[in-house]
Amino acid sequence: MTFDPVKLCEELRARGDEWAEADAAEKALERTLKPLLHTIMGKSEGGSVAARESEAYADPRYATHISALNDATKAASLARVKYETMKTYLDLERSRMASERAANARI
């Protein structure tokens, strides 16, 4: 990878945007988990709260939501890894360049 600061900063920003989007999607699914559970429980004809809650956990809509949440969590984690990896590369490259400058100054 050639060290082009402008291009690399744009790449880091793009990876940051990707991470932010994935994180927002994950958080949206997290925020809607309890309302979905309560909606399903409200339509249940079970007697006790515990019985309605058990039915809600068994509902396919809840299972689908949990699956989507798991996928979103994975996507957000992978996006963060890509961002952090790029950030680390930039730090290492900056360090390498500083070492080269220091070595050249001694010559």
Side-chain angles (χ1 to χ4, degrees):
M1 187 181 290
T2 305
F3 192 79
D4 177 352
V6 173
K7 184 178 178 184
L8 292 172
C9 284
E10 278 298 310
E11 176 70 22
L12 184 63
R13 185 201 54 76
R15 289 182 185 199
D17 289 350
E18 192 178 303
W19 176 23
E21 290 292 329
D23 190 56
E26 176 190 14
K27 291 206 175 14
L29 286 167
E30 284 175 357
R31 283 191 305 272
T32 57
L33 187 59
K34 281 189 179 181
L36 174 63
L37 184 64
H38 285 71
T39 298
I40 296 168
M41 285 175 64
K43 294 180 181 179
S44 174
E45 296 183 15
S48 69
V49 171
R52 289 182 302 171
E53 188 174 24
S54 291
E55 283 183 37
Y57 285 138
D59 190 284
R61 291 173 291 174
Y62 188 78
T64 299
H65 195 86
I66 291 295
S67 179
L69 179 56
N70 289 339
D71 291 345
T73 300
K74 181 179 179 182
S77 294
L78 290 173
R80 181 176 184 178
V81 166
K82 288 179 183 179
Y83 174 82
E84 292 294 340
T85 300
M86 183 65 159
K87 197 166 98 173
T88 300
Y89 168 76
L90 291 174
D91 289 342
L92 290 171
E93 189 64 27
R94 183 174 40 236
S95 216
R96 184 191 64 76
M97 293 172 84
S99 294
E100 283 181 8
R101 282 192 303 275
N104 290 337
R106 285 183 243 145
I107 295 176

